[in-house]
Amino acid sequence: MTSSTPTVTGSLDLRDRSRAFADLDRETFDVVVIGGGITGAGIARDAALRGLRVALVEARDIASGTSSRSSKMIHGGLRYLAQGDVGLVREAATERQVLRRIAPQLTRLSPFVMPGSRSMIAKVRAGLVAFERLGKVPRDERHRTLDATELLELEPTLAADRFPSGVVYPEFLTNDARLTVANIRSAVASGATVLTHAAATHITVGSNGRADGVEVTGTLPGEHLVARARTRLVVNAAGPWVDAVRALEAPDEPARLALTKGIHVVVPHRRLPVRDTVITLGPDKRPVFAVAAGPVTYLGTTDTFYAEPDEWPHIDASDVRYLFDAMARTFDGPPISPDDVVSLWSGVRPLIAPPEGSDAAPSELSRRDEAWVGPAGVVSVAGGKLTAYRTMAERIVDDLVSVLGTGSLRCRTADVPLIGGDVDVGDLTASLGGSLGEEASRLVQLWGADASSIADDGGDVAAEVRFAVCHEGALRLEDVWIRRAARSWFTLEPVGSDLDVAAKTMADLLGWTPERQAAEVADCHAIHHDARRCLDELVEGAPVPAA
């Protein structure tokens, strides 16, 4: 089998753009979803599984906004217990187990180690006990406390004289972009139509005052394609751009979102060789972390207000300094410096704005999702957590089915595996290991069952690109490099020679001119170097002073 074999389940090939726009223009749908992040992807999958005729349109790429910029964790949100949001914590705790069942390749169980004072650990333990009861956590996956010796046995790089106590508890790591792609392809497998790099530019309204269509315009370089997707209902799941899409329906409606920014810093794992995930506290007592991720360790995250939904939010030197300082307080050895940084990423969270006049800090804003119905009937949804995306989608689709009077009332998304999820991760990794070695684990963790197709096609960078273009809707070099193959932030050479190999492979598949190929490579270099500009503002190689 090769990656061009047309029998791949949920295959999404968007290379014939004229045909894709014509297909969208020709059909009439029950629901058009605007937004290809995890929320829109989850809604499209659920709606399609229930028998609704679904289309999803995305201005850029699948998961190109918040849904590829998270901390890559499927976690219970212990700190929300302190805010009294028991329902959110219960939902997150339960959903971890659901995701583990439907996407085992994308839910990697990992010990989270938290060092601290005895009094702090006592408070954390109280929260963990409540969390484990709420989420019906299996006994063998519950927390245990650690003394100083046990703490250093688990994480030897911790500052030996600072932490008399600690706690370890299991959480899950994921790849957020791959989780979103798996939902999109699962929606396609159930009959949904998906069109990316197609911006919603107008919501049409019928004589009854209800939204009845979405006009979209192609956004690829040099593209001049338009289409109108006729529909009975429109769902706005545009993440940080929800208010912008709401303005297409009702320009005078007040904004509903408050955006907060989070950044992550990537260093070589040999520079900060944590074994799993270490949770510590920043200068403002917010939880921050260091996560082992193959050849790198990534540090995160910050939480600051951000004014506009930029595609690539600016990273300030103060953001990086905040994380450096937290690491300096936590680990032995010389402080991390700008010289150590391999790459960085940033994103914004589309949270629900607090009441006018509120002085709530960014970390105090609710992570609950909320939905509103506009004057023309457009359903807008925002907020929520990556962990609970599936139940958020279920609530939205329950309402859609009720309004439309068609489609199944029963949600099946907790039982049907996501694309790639019908697999025994250990067995497949072992079977591919003979030919691919350590690379087998990476392929299975990203593609699940589809790793076999990529392995059969050579298992190299070019094979990953061919699969991403032919079956996962990738149309820009950035689409593959950042989101499909996870090479931009999780390798030691984010813009090395492999990037050129990927560009050449995409050029052959998409018919790019040499100039277009060079421009795609230049765009990836620009994303990488623009994120690093903040490092110039820090004293090169100098220790970061304590706050």
Side-chain angles (χ1 to χ4, degrees):
M1 182 190 296
T2 68
S3 62
S4 58
T5 303
T7 55
V8 173
T9 303
S11 180
L12 179 63
D13 185 345
L14 296 175
R15 286 176 290 175
D16 189 341
R17 299 289 285 171
S18 295
R19 178 178 177 179
F21 274 77
D23 287 347
L24 188 73
D25 203 73
R26 185 180 305 113
E27 299 291 332
T28 298
F29 301 95
D30 293 315
V31 180
V32 170
V33 179
I34 301 173
I38 190 63
T39 302
I43 291 169
R45 177 193 179 224
D46 192 343
L49 271 172
R50 299 202 207 191
L52 299 180
R53 295 167 297 172
V54 181
L56 181 146
V57 295
E58 162 58 45
R60 287 165 293 275
D61 180 37
I62 298 166
S64 57
T66 306
S67 297
S68 58
R69 320 290 180 83
S70 79
S71 299
K72 324 297 181 188
M73 296 176 179
I74 299 293
H75 66 97
L78 286 176
R79 67 190 181 94
Y80 305 126
L81 276 177
Q83 298 174 357
D85 204 336
V86 175
L88 180 63
V89 175
R90 180 187 291 112
E91 182 177 69
T94 303
E95 281 303 294
R96 295 188 320 159
Q97 302 301 330
V98 173
L99 282 173
R100 191 179 186 180
R101 184 169 65 248
I102 67 174
Q105 80 281 22
L106 292 170
T107 45
R108 179 163 62 91
L109 188 65
S110 173
F112 279 30
V113 178
M114 178 181 289
S117 66
R118 290 185 177 88
S119 60
M120 187 197 90
I121 295 303
K123 293 178 182 177
V124 172
R125 281 201 66 212
L128 282 166
V129 169
F131 168 77
E132 289 162 353
R133 289 174 178 169
L134 287 170
K136 300 179 180 178
V137 175
R139 185 171 296 278
D140 62 350
E141 293 181 10
R142 295 179 185 178
H143 77 279
R144 62 187 179 91
T145 54
L146 308 166
D147 61 25
T149 300
E150 294 169 321
L151 193 58
L152 288 174
E153 286 175 355
L154 280 182
E155 291 291 348
T157 56
L158 287 169
D161 58 347
R162 296 184 194 173
F163 303 113
S165 183
V167 64
V168 59
Y169 57 97
E171 287 281 17
F172 296 89
L173 299 175
T174 191
N175 181 297
D176 49 3
R178 293 297 322 174
L179 181 63
T180 308
V181 171
N183 272 273
I184 290 283
R185 287 185 54 205
S186 297
V188 171
S190 294
T193 297
V194 172
L195 184 59
T196 64
H197 297 280
T201 54
H202 185 60
I203 293 174
T204 61
V205 178
S207 58
N208 62 355
R210 310 295 287 175
D212 65 0
V214 177
E215 294 180 2
V216 298
T217 301
T219 60
L220 290 176
E223 193 166 67
H224 303 286
L225 292 169
V226 296
R228 176 173 177 250
R230 296 164 181 82
T231 185
R232 298 174 65 192
L233 283 175
V234 176
V235 174
N236 168 16
W241 292 271
V242 156
D243 280 336
V245 172
R246 288 177 61 238
L248 297 179
E249 177 193 19
D252 298 327
E253 287 286 306
R256 292 293 190 107
L257 300 190
L259 306 181
T260 72
K261 179 182 66 174
I263 76 137
H264 297 79
V265 176
V266 181
V267 301
H269 184 257
R270 62 178 178 271
R271 181 62 185 82
L272 188 58
V274 295
R275 291 179 173 174
D276 288 292
T277 297
V278 173
I279 307 292
T280 185
L281 297 179
D284 58 354
K285 307 304 181 185
R286 280 189 64 256
V288 295
F289 48 79
V291 183
V296 303
T297 298
Y298 66 92
L299 319 174
T301 181
T302 57
D303 201 356
T304 55
F305 285 116
Y306 200 75
E308 298 295 333
D310 294 343
E311 187 174 356
W312 294 103
H314 177 72
I315 300 176
D316 299 298
S318 58
D319 297 331
V320 179
R321 188 175 295 272
Y322 173 90
L323 295 177
F324 281 4
D325 181 68
M327 298 305 121
R329 292 165 179 260
T330 305
F331 296 98
D332 267 337
I336 293 171
S337 78
D339 286 337
D340 298 314
V341 176
V342 175
S343 56
L344 309 93
W345 79 82
S346 65
V348 292
R349 308 172 183 89
L351 305 179
I352 310 303
E356 190 172 348
S358 170
D359 59 355
S363 60
E364 294 173 340
L365 296 187
S366 172
R367 266 52 177 177
R368 276 195 170 277
D369 59 277
E370 192 170 328
W372 318 277
V373 179
V378 174
V379 178
S380 295
V381 58
K385 288 170 53 62
L386 174 67
T387 304
Y389 85 89
R390 193 201 61 81
T391 50
M392 175 167 44
E394 181 178 351
R395 289 190 290 271
I396 294 295
V397 179
D398 282 346
D399 290 342
L400 299 181
V401 169
S402 177
V403 170
L404 290 167
T406 188
S408 173
L409 292 173
R410 188 172 78 87
C411 175
R412 299 167 55 210
T413 56
D415 305 311
V416 179
L418 286 169
I419 291 292
D422 188 11
V423 64
D424 184 302
V425 172
D427 286 351
L428 182 56
T429 302
S431 70
L432 298 180
S435 58
L436 297 178
E438 293 182 0
E439 186 67 9
S441 178
R442 175 182 166 276
L443 285 180
V444 174
Q445 286 181 13
L446 292 176
W447 277 278
D450 285 328
S452 295
S453 296
I454 297 171
D456 290 345
D457 192 32
D460 56 4
V461 173
E464 293 175 9
V465 171
R466 283 190 288 270
F467 194 88
V469 171
C470 296
H471 301 299
E472 298 185 328
L475 295 170
R476 302 289 304 268
L477 183 57
E478 172 196 327
D479 299 351
V480 174
W481 206 246
I482 293 175
R483 292 175 286 277
R484 304 301 188 281
R487 290 183 175 272
S488 57
W489 300 323
F490 298 101
T491 63
L492 295 175
E493 293 188 78
V495 288
S497 59
D498 283 348
L499 182 64
D500 297 315
V501 173
K504 176 62 169 63
T505 307
M506 289 195 80
D508 292 342
L509 291 167
L510 292 158
W512 290 345
T513 64
E515 293 77 15
R516 172 68 186 280
Q517 180 180 332
E520 292 286 332
V521 173
D523 284 347
C524 287
H525 277 266
I527 291 168
H528 175 71
H529 291 296
D530 285 349
R532 293 180 60 87
R533 290 185 191 279
C534 60
L535 302 178
D536 296 335
E537 302 175 36
L538 297 171
V539 178
E540 197 73 12
V544 178

